Amino acid sequence: MKKTRVKLIVKEFYKQMNPDMWDGSGERPDSFDTHAWEYPLTDAVHLELAFGYDESDGGWKYFCDLVYSSDNSSFDMTSGHEINSPQNMINSVMQLCREYE
């Protein structure tokens, strides 16, 4: 997948899900959304992005997941810290979606 497309996807995700660029410390703002956000890559595959709290790690993370459209089952995923860093998520999505255009 081309970096320009990934940048647009991640920018839209942050605009909707973490518009205040909260970094995970202090009180969580009302604008921070942890629902799964989907973007269709092909008719058969969606990219699912979300924020979540990792109990074992003791911190907030972002999750990037490839799922089949037919049954919403996951077949590849990655995650990372720094939930206020679109660049980190861009790098993760680029690596995860290298086969998709």
Side-chain angles (χ1 to χ4, degrees):
M1 182 180 299
K2 294 188 178 172
K3 195 166 190 169
T4 53
R5 183 175 178 203
V6 173
K7 283 182 178 180
L8 291 173
I9 293 167
V10 171
K11 180 180 176 181
E12 187 59 30
F13 171 77
Y14 271 87
K15 180 179 170 185
Q16 292 180 29
M17 308 305 273
N18 191 9
D20 297 325
M21 300 305 285
W22 182 56
D23 67 358
S25 59
E27 189 173 333
R28 186 171 84 176
D30 290 339
S31 62
F32 185 77
D33 194 339
T34 60
H35 290 92
W37 187 90
E38 286 192 12
Y39 183 88
L41 296 177
T42 68
D43 288 340
V45 176
H46 286 180
L47 170 66
E48 187 176 276
L49 304 174
F51 294 116
Y53 191 79
D54 186 347
E55 292 287 336
S56 65
D57 204 10
W60 286 94
K61 296 172 84 172
Y62 64 81
F63 297 90
C64 310
D65 200 4
L66 291 177
V67 297
Y68 291 114
S69 305
S70 59
D71 63 1
N72 210 30
S73 63
S74 172
F75 65 92
D76 201 1
M77 70 133 353
T78 188
S79 63
H81 297 281
E82 296 185 39
I83 60 171
N84 64 332
S85 174
Q87 187 58 53
N88 285 357
M89 184 180 272
I90 288 168
N91 294 340
S92 294
V93 172
M94 285 292 298
Q95 185 175 18
L96 188 65
C97 298
R98 61 191 168 273
E99 311 176 9
Y100 296 93
E101 187 48 47

